[in-house]
Amino acid sequence: MKIKVINPNTTASMTAMIAASARASVAPGTHVDAVNPTSGPESIESHYDEALAAIGVLREIEAGEVEGYDGYVIACFGDPGLLAAREVARGPVVGIAEASMRTAGYLGRKFTVVTTLARTVGRTWDIAVQYGVAEACSGIRACEIPVVELERDPTAYASIRDVAQTALVSDGADVIVLGCAGMSDLCTRLQTELQVPVIDGVAAATTQVEALVRMGLRTATRGEFAAPPAKLRS
Amino acid sequence: MKIKVINPNTTASMTAMIAASARASVAPGTHVDAVNPTSGPESIESHYDEALAAIGVLREIEAGEVEGYDGYVIACFGDPGLLAAREVARGPVVGIAEASMRTAGYLGRKFTVVTTLARTVGRTWDIAVQYGVAEACSGIRACEIPVVELERDPTAYASIRDVAQTALVSDGADVIVLGCAGMSDLCTRLQTELQVPVIDGVAAATTQVEALVRMGLRTATRGEFAAPPAKLRS
Amino acid sequence: MKIKVINPNTTASMTAMIAASARASVAPGTHVDAVNPTSGPESIESHYDEALAAIGVLREIEAGEVEGYDGYVIACFGDPGLLAAREVARGPVVGIAEASMRTAGYLGRKFTVVTTLARTVGRTWDIAVQYGVAEACSGIRACEIPVVELERDPTAYASIRDVAQTALVSDGADVIVLGCAGMSDLCTRLQTELQVPVIDGVAAATTQVEALVRMGLRTATRGEFAAPPAKLRS
Amino acid sequence: MKIKVINPNTTASMTAMIAASARASVAPGTHVDAVNPTSGPESIESHYDEALAAIGVLREIEAGEVEGYDGYVIACFGDPGLLAAREVARGPVVGIAEASMRTAGYLGRKFTVVTTLARTVGRTWDIAVQYGVAEACSGIRACEIPVVELERDPTAYASIRDVAQTALVSDGADVIVLGCAGMSDLCTRLQTELQVPVIDGVAAATTQVEALVRMGLRTATRGEFAAPPAKLRS
Amino acid sequence: MKIKVINPNTTASMTAMIAASARASVAPGTHVDAVNPTSGPESIESHYDEALAAIGVLREIEAGEVEGYDGYVIACFGDPGLLAAREVARGPVVGIAEASMRTAGYLGRKFTVVTTLARTVGRTWDIAVQYGVAEACSGIRACEIPVVELERDPTAYASIRDVAQTALVSDGADVIVLGCAGMSDLCTRLQTELQVPVIDGVAAATTQVEALVRMGLRTATRGEFAAPPAKLRS
Amino acid sequence: MKIKVINPNTTASMTAMIAASARASVAPGTHVDAVNPTSGPESIESHYDEALAAIGVLREIEAGEVEGYDGYVIACFGDPGLLAAREVARGPVVGIAEASMRTAGYLGRKFTVVTTLARTVGRTWDIAVQYGVAEACSGIRACEIPVVELERDPTAYASIRDVAQTALVSDGADVIVLGCAGMSDLCTRLQTELQVPVIDGVAAATTQVEALVRMGLRTATRGEFAAPPAKLRS
């Protein structure tokens, strides 16, 4: 089985880290490639960034169909381009936000998302509603570290841990969801220190794609997710 | 007051019709320009089309900021790029879906949307939920006429009227919302024949922008809709 | 176009202020009259007051139909008598609560209402649910200044501003809605000081009526809002 | 224990029937008086009627406080004036809509309301939402018999039964709620013929008031339902 | 009328207290028996306890059908076995959680539940949603006193009162619901001291069963709550 | 990795079929055992059956903890005993209803559940709400074939297919969820014939447990799902 994990931003170091997280949880025999678009924003922290990034994601899906992948992961917590990608890909496409937030439902009563900038909180609530997990979401809290600083800022781990700790105490959360693919390398350490389940969306989405492929399940092509109507695109 | 109405698709004849609808309802002294992107899909009937069209909308907003508009209308029923546009524009930005569906709330108990293709129904429900109008929405019904056929197909009016009639009888709707900017020239005739309020989103959004500008109201810049963080965009 | 703005309480000084607010935002050529019932409560701060005031509103609507108005505004934040008024009036009727809370949806992610007495908070949530805006409402906060004191109490402005400030910080609101027609003269000053959109329902409702009239839209008469059945009323 | 059952319309024959229904289910020692206002609409079939009727209800509650009642029933399915009445009365006040729809929750999975005119359906959904029973409500169906015709029209029973039968088959309802106090004398016959629980709100509300009084429970006076602020009411 | 009140745990002293609470509010002529299973957990503080206790409740219902009871109360705040009991009993079955939380709706705007251990809060929210009362529920707060300690711990009353006091101030509650049958003997004292309605579910459920029996209402047998299909049960 | 799949009923032939379905989708190296309790109902078609079956499930979990399993599947569509099982097991526990209904979210817009008897529909809606999937659920339709007849009745496949076909046409579903573990052997054939994704909960839950174990995720033990308090259980 070949899975293509798409980092929607153009930061190659983040793509490498995402690759590692995805590969760490797959079964023997599952091959994972991680890529990023060559053009687009270096990180995704606004609706504007997300609109630009969606184009890059779709180009990678289109290429992936030629390359012969069985399924795809969109590795940015806003799941940019997800529904459009489902129209284009033959195999399943899973976003890291939907996968991590649905996975939380198997593990506890309430999860809080720890995200980067507060300005993305509204968008995250929107998709939480869309995915049916808003009732289970006890909070979306920002650490106010920009995406590209996550790997550079030596205080990042401590900041994220402190925000998560606050969520456990103040929100009544019993599960933590990491709200950025760039946090996936911190997952194990956080889980060990916090002693609650901490979910990395990259692993959650990649194992979900694996499961869907193994069950022979693909996106419905009856209606909304059929291939987009062919038309003039100038 | 200068308002820029953006048709997100590239079909110029539709842009002309949208211009006429927008101008028909504004107050004396309000100047309306209607434009469309030079590149992108000729019509928007899938998540894929919408992702592509959003880029064109954002380019028009960015140009509009230089051109000095007081506010903007996004004239496609999926409101593509709406939240991103709010980050970019200084003045208010209103989508025709949000404007028409919220306007329905002032006029009756339940509205049904008459849209083009059934494959867009899911997306329309998503934004109805986001805009808080899902409870008031008694149905979203497709006439199965593609967007570009609306102006060519001589049976289009009758098909739309029949779908609306079904909505009044079967859904208990007392208001009809036209689910495509390309239907706006049919609004008056439908309202006269059906004897219920029929809402054209182009008019609803344009008069809404007018009202916001006149009240001195602009998009909040505290948090989510602040200008997007400057960053490398390769 | 002639719009009748009805202050549901009997305090004439408030009616004068409401008239000024309504006139400040309308387009050239729109004529606004502001009135209040001659009998009823001097202010509306309970369900009991609201029940009494609804009668006065309906009497003014009935008179307005003879006087030849094109549309009506109900200028009290509980929107007393709104649905009944729609059965009676030929033209559109808009309440200031529904107009201001729906208008907030065009401007930001979350709004908090700053109201007068805490005892009205429950009623305001009820109508927020009814209007579909409860998800977007981040709070309803009372300044505990009775309606009639708003114009007399020299600390009123500061109290309202402080409550609004708390809403921005604690509720995550990015828009403020003024929860009483008697606050409409404070709107511009608050917006300037708080640097967020502040919505006065009187302006929002009056410009909404203007827009509806200009679009040729009237209340649905198919079903719920048809004229009330004629009957013995002893 | 003395309970005052208020028929909000002015039709004395309906008041007599309501009295009989209320008395049929109370415990030994509970005294029931049924009254109606001397002025107001003869039946309540619109928002307009309801606004007028609320005044009559409040006058009866105010009189009842002098007369020394322990609790009150508002015997019209729109529960007109209910929240205002709670501000005025010392003892509990229960509406027949809230009582019957909450009672249904103890008996089955889904209830359908059989009401008089279709124009009242929207209002009934509004209060179903307010009372928290909308999820359990499988439908609100009209028999299109005006309230005052219920006691005159010899086909009324058969029409109501047929509507209820349709609800059982098409809505999946397993409980029927009678949506008008004027149907309360048909309850037993309907239940026998339909072989499902059929709830008469008059009985449900009266026994609920009994239970509240016996438990020593009164409306909260902390906040919203405290006595209305004293003020000039011209 | 004969009502069987079932304490689902095996603590006889609690059964005696429940009997007293139930008997204190019933009408003359209503006979109440209170029982508990002979096997099962001594208190119910986990999903695990609840699963075990449900079996005991069902055995008592089955016995009650032979003994000839008119209706049943399940006197544990998780309402264990409630829906299964409705399939087995001919007469009505009411749980103390559903009865107390629905009763709150007649008395105020918002209720907070004061429960024993925090670990039961999630389950209580689940049933609040199921009963349609989640919107009216302003909080579920634990006093962290285990069930069996309620009658032994001399500080129990003060702890519960303090939690309730916090609920009134911080949650905006105007009604308190006691979240454990073992608190029913504290109800009157709490209500007197807190000056808000305090609801004991044992009284609320028992008077509700009385009312249902007096109205001739039984659980629907059309569909879900018909007798369980006969089958091999090894 | 060792997973224990628990069939909550006592029908061994169904357990064998469940084992086959579970094993068909797991990765190399994952060992699956399927068991059923020795006592309890032969099939689960009522709340009563479900209460009895939960005890058997818990006994199997308790045994499994001694036997050393990494995770558990509860293979009955009502997910009996699921929350209690999470308190008892160290590793993850997944029910087939939650897994299949959440999996549907990755594949299409709307799913309909095809279940056995109509009497279970209410319970299925309850858990759909609890799992956050009610908005995505376009229907729950019964084929009216009892569980134990699924393997004996030669018309079972055709009946289920016809119900699914109706769901696609009438509900607008684009995904089908099989509402009984006893249907899992029909999944591939149905998917091939219907040309939409058809989800077997046994496979969905088993691969979900695999994924959770591989990610090192276990049920939260902070709060609700901590081990049940030790206590006297007579």
Side-chain angles (χ1 to χ4, degrees):
Chain A
M1 187 190 318
K2 270 177 67 186
I3 298 175
K4 187 174 191 176
V5 178
I6 303 166
N7 171 15
N9 72 36
T10 56
T11 300
S13 57
M14 197 177 302
T15 309
M17 191 241 279
I18 286 168
S21 296
R23 284 173 192 139
S25 295
V26 295
T30 300
H31 180 80
V32 172
D33 290 320
V35 301
N36 58 256
T38 52
S39 75
E42 63 177 330
S43 64
I44 299 168
E45 295 166 329
S46 63
H47 298 291
Y48 184 84
D49 291 344
E50 204 163 294
L52 298 191
I55 304 299
V57 169
L58 295 175
R59 293 296 166 251
E60 289 296 336
I61 299 274
E62 289 169 326
E65 290 298 283
V66 178
E67 295 152 358
Y69 285 98
D70 296 294
Y72 303 87
V73 168
I74 300 179
C76 167
F77 206 80
D79 295 351
L82 177 61
L83 300 187
R86 287 197 177 130
E87 295 173 327
V88 174
R90 276 185 308 272
V93 187
V94 173
I96 67 169
E98 58 168 354
S100 54
M101 296 196 290
R102 285 195 183 115
T103 296
Y106 298 111
L107 298 169
R109 167 65 56 175
K110 293 277 185 189
F111 66 88
T112 283
V113 178
V114 181
T115 188
T116 53
L117 305 189
R119 63 177 298 149
T120 67
V121 168
R123 162 73 183 167
T124 305
W125 276 115
D126 273 353
I127 57 178
V129 168
Q130 210 174 310
Y131 301 152
V133 300
E135 284 303 306
C137 182
S138 44
I140 301 173
R141 290 178 175 269
C143 61
E144 291 299 353
I145 301 171
V147 173
V148 294
E149 295 302 317
L150 285 173
E151 51 183 348
R152 298 178 202 154
D153 182 343
T155 69
Y157 174 80
S159 297
I160 291 166
R161 180 203 57 206
D162 292 353
V163 171
Q165 198 74 65
T166 303
L168 300 179
V169 174
S170 302
D171 301 346
D174 56 359
V175 176
I176 296 296
V177 166
L178 298 178
C180 178
M183 297 174 183
S184 64
D185 59 340
L186 310 176
C187 183
T188 307
R189 190 174 161 203
L190 280 164
Q191 181 161 293
T192 304
E193 187 169 352
L194 294 169
Q195 289 292 300
V196 298
V198 178
I199 302 176
D200 161 37
V202 176
T206 309
T207 54
Q208 187 66 53
V209 170
E210 262 194 302
L212 295 171
V213 172
R214 206 169 284 133
M215 288 188 278
L217 290 166
R218 299 172 162 213
T219 303
T221 53
R222 186 181 189 286
E224 181 172 355
F225 299 108
K231 67 184 54 169
L232 286 177
R233 290 193 176 84
S234 48
Chain B
M1 188 189 319
K2 269 177 66 184
I3 298 175
K4 186 173 190 176
V5 177
I6 303 166
N7 171 16
N9 72 37
T10 56
T11 300
S13 56
M14 197 178 302
T15 309
M17 192 241 278
I18 286 168
S21 296
R23 285 174 191 138
S25 296
V26 294
T30 300
H31 179 81
V32 172
D33 290 320
V35 301
N36 58 257
T38 52
S39 75
E42 63 177 330
S43 64
I44 299 168
E45 296 166 330
S46 63
H47 297 290
Y48 184 85
D49 291 342
E50 204 162 291
L52 298 191
I55 303 299
V57 169
L58 295 175
R59 294 293 167 252
E60 290 296 338
I61 299 276
E62 288 170 327
E65 290 299 281
V66 178
E67 296 153 357
Y69 285 98
D70 296 293
Y72 303 87
V73 168
I74 300 179
C76 167
F77 205 80
D79 296 350
L82 177 62
L83 299 187
R86 286 197 178 131
E87 294 173 327
V88 175
R90 276 184 309 270
V93 187
V94 174
I96 67 169
E98 60 169 353
S100 53
M101 296 197 288
R102 285 197 183 113
T103 296
Y106 297 111
L107 297 169
R109 167 64 57 176
K110 293 277 186 190
F111 66 87
T112 283
V113 178
V114 181
T115 188
T116 52
L117 304 189
R119 64 177 298 148
T120 68
V121 168
R123 162 73 183 166
T124 305
W125 275 115
D126 273 351
I127 57 178
V129 168
Q130 212 174 307
Y131 300 152
V133 300
E135 284 304 306
C137 181
S138 45
I140 302 172
R141 291 178 174 269
C143 62
E144 292 298 355
I145 301 172
V147 173
V148 295
E149 295 301 317
L150 286 173
E151 52 184 346
R152 298 176 201 154
D153 181 342
T155 70
Y157 174 80
S159 297
I160 291 166
R161 181 203 57 206
D162 292 353
V163 171
Q165 198 73 66
T166 303
L168 299 180
V169 174
S170 302
D171 300 346
D174 56 0
V175 176
I176 296 295
V177 166
L178 298 178
C180 179
M183 297 174 182
S184 64
D185 59 339
L186 310 176
C187 183
T188 307
R189 187 172 163 205
L190 280 165
Q191 181 161 293
T192 304
E193 186 168 353
L194 295 170
Q195 290 291 300
V196 298
V198 178
I199 302 177
D200 161 37
V202 177
T206 310
T207 54
Q208 186 65 54
V209 170
E210 262 194 304
L212 294 171
V213 172
R214 205 168 287 133
M215 288 187 278
L217 290 167
R218 298 173 162 213
T219 302
T221 53
R222 187 182 189 287
E224 182 172 353
F225 299 108
K231 64 183 58 169
L232 285 177
R233 291 193 175 85
S234 49
Chain C
M1 187 189 318
K2 270 177 67 186
I3 298 175
K4 186 173 191 177
V5 178
I6 303 166
N7 171 14
N9 73 36
T10 56
T11 300
S13 57
M14 196 177 303
T15 308
M17 191 241 279
I18 286 168
S21 297
R23 284 173 192 141
S25 295
V26 294
T30 299
H31 179 81
V32 172
D33 290 321
V35 302
N36 60 256
T38 51
S39 75
E42 61 176 333
S43 64
I44 299 168
E45 295 167 328
S46 64
H47 299 289
Y48 184 85
D49 291 343
E50 203 163 293
L52 298 191
I55 303 299
V57 169
L58 294 175
R59 294 295 166 251
E60 288 297 336
I61 299 276
E62 288 170 328
E65 290 298 282
V66 177
E67 295 153 359
Y69 285 98
D70 295 293
Y72 302 88
V73 169
I74 300 179
C76 167
F77 205 81
D79 295 349
L82 177 62
L83 299 186
R86 287 197 175 128
E87 295 173 327
V88 174
R90 276 183 309 270
V93 187
V94 173
I96 67 169
E98 58 168 355
S100 53
M101 296 197 288
R102 286 195 182 115
T103 296
Y106 298 111
L107 298 169
R109 167 66 54 177
K110 293 277 184 190
F111 67 88
T112 284
V113 178
V114 181
T115 188
T116 52
L117 305 189
R119 63 177 298 150
T120 67
V121 168
R123 162 73 184 166
T124 304
W125 275 115
D126 273 352
I127 58 179
V129 168
Q130 212 175 309
Y131 300 152
V133 300
E135 283 303 306
C137 181
S138 45
I140 302 172
R141 290 178 176 270
C143 63
E144 293 298 355
I145 301 171
V147 174
V148 294
E149 294 302 317
L150 286 172
E151 52 183 344
R152 296 177 203 156
D153 181 342
T155 70
Y157 174 79
S159 298
I160 291 166
R161 180 204 55 206
D162 292 353
V163 171
Q165 198 73 64
T166 303
L168 300 179
V169 173
S170 304
D171 301 347
D174 56 359
V175 176
I176 296 295
V177 166
L178 298 179
C180 178
M183 296 175 183
S184 64
D185 59 340
L186 309 176
C187 183
T188 306
R189 189 173 162 203
L190 280 165
Q191 180 161 291
T192 304
E193 186 168 354
L194 295 170
Q195 289 291 300
V196 297
V198 178
I199 302 176
D200 161 36
V202 176
T206 309
T207 55
Q208 187 64 55
V209 169
E210 262 194 301
L212 295 171
V213 171
R214 206 169 286 132
M215 289 187 278
L217 291 167
R218 298 173 163 213
T219 303
T221 53
R222 187 182 188 286
E224 182 173 353
F225 299 109
K231 65 183 56 168
L232 286 177
R233 290 192 178 85
S234 49
Chain D
M1 188 190 318
K2 269 178 68 185
I3 299 175
K4 185 174 191 177
V5 177
I6 303 167
N7 170 17
N9 73 37
T10 56
T11 300
S13 57
M14 195 177 305
T15 308
M17 192 240 280
I18 287 167
S21 297
R23 285 173 191 139
S25 295
V26 294
T30 300
H31 179 81
V32 172
D33 290 319
V35 301
N36 59 258
T38 50
S39 74
E42 63 177 331
S43 63
I44 300 169
E45 294 166 328
S46 63
H47 298 290
Y48 183 84
D49 292 343
E50 205 163 291
L52 299 191
I55 303 300
V57 169
L58 294 176
R59 295 292 166 253
E60 289 297 336
I61 299 276
E62 290 171 326
E65 290 298 283
V66 178
E67 296 153 359
Y69 286 97
D70 296 292
Y72 302 88
V73 169
I74 300 180
C76 166
F77 205 79
D79 294 350
L82 177 63
L83 299 187
R86 285 197 178 131
E87 296 173 326
V88 175
R90 275 185 309 271
V93 187
V94 174
I96 66 169
E98 58 168 355
S100 52
M101 296 198 288
R102 286 196 183 114
T103 296
Y106 297 111
L107 298 168
R109 168 63 58 175
K110 294 276 186 190
F111 67 88
T112 284
V113 177
V114 181
T115 187
T116 52
L117 304 189
R119 65 176 298 148
T120 67
V121 168
R123 161 73 183 166
T124 304
W125 275 115
D126 273 352
I127 57 177
V129 168
Q130 209 174 310
Y131 300 151
V133 299
E135 283 304 305
C137 180
S138 44
I140 302 173
R141 292 177 172 270
C143 62
E144 293 297 356
I145 301 171
V147 173
V148 294
E149 294 302 317
L150 286 172
E151 53 183 346
R152 299 178 202 152
D153 181 342
T155 70
Y157 173 80
S159 298
I160 291 167
R161 181 202 57 207
D162 291 353
V163 170
Q165 197 74 66
T166 303
L168 299 179
V169 173
S170 303
D171 301 347
D174 57 358
V175 175
I176 296 296
V177 165
L178 298 178
C180 178
M183 297 174 182
S184 64
D185 59 339
L186 310 176
C187 183
T188 306
R189 189 174 161 203
L190 280 164
Q191 180 161 292
T192 304
E193 185 167 355
L194 295 169
Q195 289 291 299
V196 297
V198 179
I199 303 177
D200 161 36
V202 177
T206 309
T207 55
Q208 187 64 54
V209 170
E210 263 194 303
L212 294 171
V213 171
R214 206 170 285 132
M215 289 187 279
L217 290 166
R218 297 173 163 212
T219 303
T221 53
R222 190 181 185 285
E224 181 172 354
F225 299 108
K231 65 183 57 170
L232 285 177
R233 291 193 176 86
S234 49
Chain E
M1 187 189 320
K2 268 177 69 185
I3 299 176
K4 186 173 190 176
V5 177
I6 303 166
N7 170 16
N9 72 36
T10 56
T11 300
S13 57
M14 196 177 305
T15 309
M17 192 241 280
I18 286 167
S21 297
R23 284 175 192 138
S25 295
V26 295
T30 300
H31 179 81
V32 172
D33 290 319
V35 301
N36 59 258
T38 51
S39 74
E42 63 177 329
S43 63
I44 300 169
E45 295 167 329
S46 64
H47 298 289
Y48 183 85
D49 291 344
E50 204 162 294
L52 298 191
I55 304 299
V57 169
L58 295 175
R59 294 294 167 253
E60 289 297 335
I61 300 276
E62 289 170 326
E65 291 298 283
V66 177
E67 295 153 359
Y69 285 98
D70 296 292
Y72 302 87
V73 168
I74 300 179
C76 167
F77 205 80
D79 295 351
L82 177 63
L83 299 187
R86 285 196 178 132
E87 294 173 327
V88 174
R90 277 185 308 270
V93 187
V94 174
I96 66 169
E98 59 169 352
S100 53
M101 296 197 288
R102 287 195 181 115
T103 296
Y106 298 111
L107 297 169
R109 167 64 57 174
K110 294 277 186 189
F111 66 87
T112 284
V113 178
V114 181
T115 187
T116 52
L117 304 189
R119 64 177 299 149
T120 67
V121 168
R123 162 73 183 167
T124 304
W125 276 114
D126 273 352
I127 57 178
V129 168
Q130 211 174 311
Y131 301 152
V133 300
E135 283 304 305
C137 180
S138 45
I140 303 173
R141 291 177 174 270
C143 62
E144 293 297 355
I145 301 171
V147 173
V148 294
E149 295 302 316
L150 286 173
E151 53 184 344
R152 296 177 203 154
D153 182 341
T155 70
Y157 174 81
S159 299
I160 291 166
R161 180 203 57 207
D162 292 352
V163 170
Q165 198 73 65
T166 303
L168 299 179
V169 174
S170 303
D171 300 346
D174 56 359
V175 176
I176 297 295
V177 165
L178 297 178
C180 178
M183 296 173 183
S184 63
D185 59 339
L186 310 176
C187 184
T188 306
R189 189 174 161 202
L190 280 165
Q191 180 161 294
T192 304
E193 186 168 354
L194 295 169
Q195 288 291 302
V196 297
V198 178
I199 303 176
D200 161 36
V202 177
T206 309
T207 54
Q208 188 65 54
V209 169
E210 262 195 303
L212 294 171
V213 171
R214 207 170 283 134
M215 289 187 277
L217 290 166
R218 297 172 164 213
T219 302
T221 53
R222 188 181 187 286
E224 182 172 353
F225 298 108
K231 65 183 57 170
L232 285 177
R233 290 192 176 86
S234 50
Chain F
M1 188 191 315
K2 270 177 67 184
I3 299 175
K4 186 174 190 177
V5 178
I6 303 166
N7 170 15
N9 72 37
T10 57
T11 301
S13 57
M14 196 177 303
T15 308
M17 191 241 278
I18 286 168
S21 297
R23 284 172 192 141
S25 296
V26 293
T30 299
H31 179 80
V32 172
D33 290 319
V35 301
N36 58 257
T38 51
S39 75
E42 62 177 331
S43 64
I44 299 168
E45 296 168 327
S46 64
H47 299 289
Y48 184 84
D49 291 343
E50 204 163 291
L52 298 190
I55 303 299
V57 169
L58 295 175
R59 293 296 166 250
E60 289 297 336
I61 299 276
E62 290 170 325
E65 290 300 280
V66 177
E67 295 153 358
Y69 285 98
D70 296 293
Y72 303 87
V73 169
I74 300 179
C76 167
F77 205 80
D79 295 350
L82 177 62
L83 299 187
R86 286 196 177 132
E87 296 172 325
V88 174
R90 276 183 310 270
V93 187
V94 173
I96 67 169
E98 60 168 353
S100 53
M101 297 197 288
R102 286 196 183 115
T103 296
Y106 298 110
L107 297 169
R109 168 64 56 174
K110 294 275 185 190
F111 67 87
T112 284
V113 177
V114 181
T115 188
T116 52
L117 305 189
R119 64 178 296 149
T120 68
V121 168
R123 162 73 184 166
T124 305
W125 276 115
D126 273 350
I127 58 178
V129 168
Q130 212 174 310
Y131 301 152
V133 300
E135 283 304 306
C137 181
S138 44
I140 302 172
R141 290 178 174 269
C143 62
E144 293 297 354
I145 301 172
V147 174
V148 294
E149 295 302 317
L150 286 173
E151 52 183 347
R152 298 177 202 155
D153 181 342
T155 70
Y157 174 80
S159 298
I160 291 167
R161 181 203 56 208
D162 292 352
V163 170
Q165 199 73 67
T166 303
L168 299 179
V169 174
S170 304
D171 300 346
D174 56 359
V175 175
I176 296 295
V177 166
L178 298 178
C180 178
M183 297 174 182
S184 64
D185 59 340
L186 309 176
C187 183
T188 307
R189 189 174 163 202
L190 279 164
Q191 180 161 293
T192 304
E193 186 167 354
L194 295 170
Q195 289 292 299
V196 297
V198 178
I199 302 176
D200 161 36
V202 177
T206 309
T207 56
Q208 187 64 55
V209 169
E210 262 194 303
L212 294 172
V213 171
R214 207 170 285 132
M215 290 188 277
L217 291 167
R218 297 173 163 211
T219 302
T221 53
R222 189 182 185 284
E224 181 172 355
F225 298 109
K231 67 183 56 166
L232 286 176
R233 289 190 178 88
S234 48

